[in-house]
Amino acid sequence: MTYLTPRIALVGDRSPAVRSHARIPGLLDALAEREQLVLDAYWIPTEDAGAPGALDGFDAVWLLPGSPYRSEAGALAAVRTARERGIPFLGTCAGFQHAVLEYARNVCGLGGAVHGEEHPERDEQVIVPLACSLVGHEGAVAITPGTLAERVLGTTRTLERYHCAYGLNTDYLDRLRAHGLRFSGADGAGEVRVLELPGHPFFLASLFQPELSGDGTRAHAMIRALAGAAVAHAAGSSASTDRTATDPTATDPGTDPGTTTLEATA
C-alpha cells in the first residue's frame, strides 16, 4: 500500500494582520515535531475555494478566521464540499459562522439566510452581532458529555480565547437542531460556542479560536484532532487508490491528490 502525506486546505484570505493566520506555520511545525502528524498544507483564498475541483484530493478542510471573507460564496462552497464528501472539517470563528450559514441554506431550506456582517439590511440573519463583542476575550466553555467535542477535548469544561463580534441567532437553533446539527459547547450564559455534525467522519467548529491557545508551541486539541482525521482520510484514500490500480473492477477514485498547483506553506 502507498502511504500519502495528508493534504489540508487552509481556506481563508491570508493576512499578517490576522493573528491566528500568523500562528498557523508554527502550529503545523508543532504537529510534526511533537505529535508526529505531518501535513502538506495549502492556503486557498476564498475566491478560489468555490471553483470546480478546488478541494479535490484534500484530506481535510480548515475554514479559518478572517471575516468578512473576500468571497462568502467560496467559504460556503468549502463547507459544503467537506460536509457532502465526508472530508474532515474544522471551522474556527468565522469558519463556525459560515458552517452554520451553509447548513441553514442547504440543509434547512433557509435559502434567504444571511450573515449579518455581510448583509445587515436583510431580515433572515442566521448570524448576528453578539450582545457583547468577544474580541480579545477569554471565557469558559461547557462541553456536552458524549459528543465529538468532549472526545476531542477530553473534558467537559475548557477555557478558550475569542476574537469575534458575531454569533448564532438563537431564533434558528431549533430548526438547525431538527435538521441534524448538534451544538455541543456553550458559554456560562448558554450561548452556543461549538457545533458538530453527527454521522460525518469529522465535522467540528468553534466560535472561539483554538489557534490562539497557549504560546503557539503546541497545537490545540481540536487542531490535533483534525490532523488525526486527515491522516485517517489519507489512509482510506490510499487504500482506494491501490485497489483501483490492482483491481480492474474497482471504480476510478477521481483526481490524483498530487495534481494541485497551489503553493504549499508548510
Side-chain angles (χ1 to χ4, degrees):
M1 181 181 293
T2 302
Y3 290 92
L4 303 174
T5 300
R7 299 175 70 246
I8 180 171
L10 304 173
V11 179
D13 305 315
R14 191 178 187 185
S15 169
V18 179
R19 188 180 171 206
S20 64
H21 292 186
R23 283 268 185 121
I24 298 296
L27 295 175
L28 294 173
D29 288 343
L31 283 171
E33 294 169 8
R34 300 188 62 155
E35 316 293 340
Q36 289 72 56
L37 292 170
V38 179
L39 301 177
D40 191 6
Y42 293 75
W43 282 87
I44 301 182
T46 54
E47 299 103 321
D48 297 339
L55 298 180
D56 286 357
F58 282 99
D59 299 296
V61 174
W62 185 354
L63 185 55
L64 293 161
S67 183
Y69 295 122
R70 290 200 295 265
S71 172
E72 179 184 86
L76 295 177
V79 178
R80 185 170 189 174
T81 297
R83 179 178 60 79
E84 293 184 340
R85 295 188 188 177
I87 302 170
F89 172 83
L90 178 64
T92 53
C93 196
F96 170 99
Q97 297 161 11
H98 286 75
V100 170
L101 182 57
E102 189 279 328
Y103 205 82
R105 288 185 182 178
N106 297 315
V107 180
C108 299
L110 298 171
V114 297
H115 191 302
E117 186 175 27
E118 292 278 353
H119 305 284
E121 77 290 350
R122 301 271 289 275
D123 292 330
E124 209 165 1
Q125 295 183 24
V126 174
I127 302 298
V128 293
L130 295 168
C132 296
S133 171
L134 292 172
V135 173
H137 283 229
E138 185 176 69
V141 180
I143 304 298
T144 304
T147 60
L148 171 63
E150 187 203 17
R151 294 195 298 274
V152 165
L153 295 169
T155 183
T156 56
R157 187 182 185 280
T158 180
L159 190 66
E160 303 292 348
R161 296 181 183 179
Y162 296 85
H163 196 85
C164 63
Y166 286 79
L168 174 64
N169 183 343
T170 56
D171 290 346
Y172 293 93
L173 263 174
D174 288 345
R175 184 153 183 174
L176 289 161
R177 283 175 171 147
H179 283 81
L181 204 59
R182 173 181 286 175
F183 296 99
S184 51
D187 71 0
E191 297 294 327
V192 169
R193 298 292 181 254
V194 183
L195 67 80
E196 57 192 64
L197 184 58
H200 191 282
F202 185 94
F203 193 101
L204 191 62
S206 65
L207 194 61
F208 56 80
Q209 293 191 11
E211 304 92 337
L212 303 182
S213 176
D215 61 3
T217 60
R218 184 173 188 185
H220 187 281
M222 282 187 170
I223 301 170
R224 298 198 304 271
L226 178 69
V231 169
H233 188 274
S237 298
S238 177
S240 294
T241 300
D242 283 358
R243 179 174 177 267
T244 302
T246 58
D247 182 355
T249 67
T251 57
D252 184 347
T255 305
D256 186 320
T259 60
T260 184
T261 58
L262 295 171
E263 292 293 323
T265 62

